[in-house]
Amino acid sequence: MEYGYTIGILLLPLLSFLVIGLTDYFRGKKGWSHKAAGLIGTCSLGIVTILSYVTAFQYFGAERLADGTFPTIVPYNTTWLPLGSLHFDLGILLDPIAVMMLIVISTVSLMVHIYSFGYMHGEKGFQRYYAFLSLFTFSMLGLVVATNIFQMYMFWELVGVSSYLLIGFYYPLQAAVHASKKAFIVTRFADMFFLIGILIFGYYTGSFNFSFAGEITGAAADTFTFCNADKAWTAGAMLLPTALVLMFIGGAGKSAMFPLHIWLPDAMEGPTPVSALIHAATMVVAGVFQIARLFPLWIEYAPNQMNIIVVVGAFTAFYAAAVACAQSDIKRVLAFSTISQIAFMMVALGVCLPGHGNEQMIDNHASLGYMASMFHLFTHAMFKACLFLGAGCIIHAVHSNEMSTMGGLRKYMPITHATFLISCLAIAGIPFFSGFSSKDEIISACFAYSPICGWWMTGVAAMTAFYMFRLYYGIFWGTENKELHAHHTPHEAPWTMTFPLVFLSVITVGVGIFSTLGGFLHWDWASFGRFVTASGESYTIHFDWTIAATSTVIAVCSIILATYIYKGETQPIADKMYSFAPRLHRWAYKRFYMDEVYMFVTHKILFRFVSRPVAWIDEHIINGLIDFTAWGANAGGESIRSTQDGDVRSYAVWFITGVIALTLLLVCL
């Protein structure tokens, strides 16, 4: 059966979770050794990665359909729960974005598994950690190959559970417990809207599938049904746009868009490899993937509502970049950088416009933002995972997250330094690094949407280059903490930790070189648009020389500014900037007090004026009515208890009395 092996992509990490987790639980102290648990998890992910790459080569290497698009293949699909005309299916769907996501998830997850051998060595709960990694990978893979929205939602929630377990891995620490609960509660709140949107969509379309038409192939194609297009058009004027916006709120929560972003920075309390896996490459892009998966529905039924995505994404990108400029914890700088970059992807999807002259057509010009968003998702996953894993090596060397304990580490950690610099150049958008091509196309799409949007995102890109090189110089240059380093000399991490850095940085440089040359020289074979576009047809990237030159110059100027301020042994300019606007710096450092706003709203308003009155009603009225009913039943029972004395003569008297009373009643009537 063609693509029959893809079921192993899901089953292997699930089996790994069961073998490591349940066996370790039932065997107690005689469970798997650290090495055995790590090898089981890593080898299973290695096989998953091989299967994912085989799938990608087979899928993208096959002939396109007659209309120039790649087919949608459903090798597996089964009805899990039939409910009349509606039914919940489980299966595997392969199309360009699903196959691309398989590569992203499996690659980053494998690197994290290898990296964790060194980083988590000797940690209590090592086996539990690898079991949770396998569970998370299974959840994310199931999400991207889902055949329908309801299956996506099931794995979406499983991703939330997995992230809760991994963020709270250090559960003896109160901060980790609070962070895991915060992430779980905020994302569950957003997921409530996602579920409501799914229910509205399913009710008015008669299906939970992603599209209303198209060519489906594969062994399970006959069982894959489409939505009712007539019902969809009837509801499309209001209800389908409402459903899509509600689902977007769920995606905004998972992708940490403002104001649902507050969980992501605190999620850094988990192990650093978890930050690389969940909060840089996979989980946080689930919201972006959701919009991309439902993109044909947005274009067809809610094109005007896509402006909401643009506004939320553009504001989030600026807000997160501003906060990142003031953070001193290196993981939190990267966390807010992630929020900002995910917002770039959201904006790119939102600025996609329907085809010119035909609102139902998605032409290549209109889908530029879609392609750029998916390309940036791919490139960002690699260099941001490299940055987080590099941060883990640095923390492993100096035993602190604060930049004040670092400085001058380039001479102690040359491999980490080189790979970190490559990733910083990529995220800054420097040519011949992967971030340049993807971010330049996003900015081009933004200018096509609106010059204001284009310049706004260009400004955010400049801020990105500035705060990333502020971070770079604070770690590897600047003032060395010689007193701290004298007690514990920093050193390069073991090969299990440096190999993933080198591997990811090689991908960053390789993709950057080919995509940059391909964009300028119009190489079709080196274009990401050859594989993933909104219309499905091949699209060769053509750089806009004006935008490319402008964004590059601005990025270089931002890097020069960061170099001038932060490279030296002392930073007098930075000190003057702080003394000039201490309140602004304080506000940015405190994340503009968004956590305090949430605490005020929840504790001072919701708890006081909503929760307490509801609790009083529940305790005194609802419980009172129930208690009164119970009291009445008891009282009634006590009142007739004396008649149940077991005396036959007494029963005869009551019987005769009842017969006489009933006879008189009938005579009177």
Side-chain angles (χ1 to χ4, degrees), residues 150-447:
F150 199 86
Q151 181 184 345
M152 173 188 277
Y153 181 76
M154 290 174 57
F155 282 96
W156 184 281
E157 293 301 310
L158 196 55
V159 166
V161 173
S162 306
S163 65
Y164 167 79
L165 296 172
L166 285 168
I167 294 168
F169 176 77
Y170 296 122
Y171 62 87
L173 301 177
Q174 199 66 22
V177 174
H178 286 318
S180 60
K181 290 194 297 184
K182 188 176 184 180
F184 191 80
I185 292 171
V186 173
T187 53
R188 292 296 74 70
F189 173 76
D191 292 348
M192 173 185 67
F193 295 95
F194 188 12
L195 179 59
I196 295 172
I198 291 174
L199 296 177
I200 294 174
F201 178 87
Y203 180 79
Y204 283 99
T205 63
S207 173
F208 291 113
N209 290 326
F210 296 116
S211 61
F212 301 131
E215 182 175 342
I216 305 293
T217 62
D222 294 338
T223 64
F224 191 88
T225 59
F226 294 105
C227 303
N228 188 318
D230 294 333
K231 290 181 67 177
W233 274 109
T234 302
M238 180 183 69
L239 293 172
L240 283 187
T242 301
L244 290 170
V245 171
L246 289 172
M247 286 190 268
F248 165 69
I249 295 175
K254 193 73 78 180
S255 290
M257 294 293 99
F258 186 92
L260 300 171
H261 67 285
I262 59 171
W263 65 270
L264 184 60
D266 291 336
M268 299 301 109
E269 294 295 338
T272 301
V274 170
S275 303
L277 177 63
I278 299 180
H279 308 295
T282 52
M283 175 182 171
V284 291
V285 301
V288 177
F289 177 81
Q290 182 222 81
I291 303 299
R293 171 60 77 204
L294 301 176
F295 188 75
L297 302 179
W298 282 93
I299 287 291
E300 190 168 4
Y301 295 104
N304 294 328
Q305 284 70 26
M306 292 175 70
N307 293 317
I308 298 174
I309 302 175
V310 177
V311 172
V312 172
F315 181 79
T316 301
F318 173 79
Y319 165 83
V323 174
C325 289
Q327 298 300 302
S328 59
D329 183 316
I330 61 174
K331 288 179 67 175
R332 279 179 168 75
V333 174
L334 295 177
F336 279 100
S337 171
T338 297
I339 296 173
S340 184
Q341 296 304 302
I342 298 299
F344 262 91
M345 303 173 203
M346 284 288 192
V347 170
L349 290 173
V351 299
C352 291
L353 305 174
H356 304 290
N358 183 355
E359 292 187 356
Q360 307 306 323
M361 181 182 69
I362 306 175
D363 63 15
N364 282 330
H365 177 75
S367 66
L368 171 62
Y370 180 96
M371 183 276 296
S373 177
M374 295 297 98
F375 191 19
H376 198 56
L377 187 156
F378 178 86
T379 59
H380 174 263
M382 302 304 166
F383 61 67
K384 184 53 69 67
C386 185
L387 286 168
F388 265 110
L389 296 181
C393 292
I394 295 162
I395 296 169
H396 186 266
V398 301
H399 303 290
S400 175
N401 294 16
E402 293 293 325
M403 283 191 282
S404 60
T405 62
M406 303 168 191
L409 292 181
R410 67 189 184 281
K411 56 187 177 183
Y412 299 107
M413 309 176 71
I415 297 177
T416 304
H417 170 241
T419 55
F420 203 92
L421 176 60
I422 289 172
S423 299
C424 285
L425 291 170
I427 196 173
I430 301 302
F432 301 103
F433 295 90
S434 60
F436 167 75
S437 302
S438 57
K439 189 173 290 187
D440 184 79
E441 292 303 287
I442 290 177
I443 294 175
S444 296
C446 289
F447 272 106

Side-chain angles (χ1 to χ4, degrees), residues 1-49:
M1 180 170 54
E2 190 179 22
Y3 296 101
Y5 57 84
T6 53
I7 192 67
I9 295 175
L10 287 183
L11 294 182
L12 281 172
L14 176 61
L15 183 62
S16 174
F17 163 70
L18 295 175
V19 169
I20 299 173
L22 297 183
T23 304
D24 186 67
Y25 174 79
F26 286 114
R27 295 181 67 182
K29 293 183 179 180
K30 296 182 180 180
W32 299 106
S33 66
H34 286 199
K35 185 176 181 180
L39 284 174
I40 292 172
T42 305
C43 290
S44 69
L45 254 296
I47 298 173
V48 168
T49 304

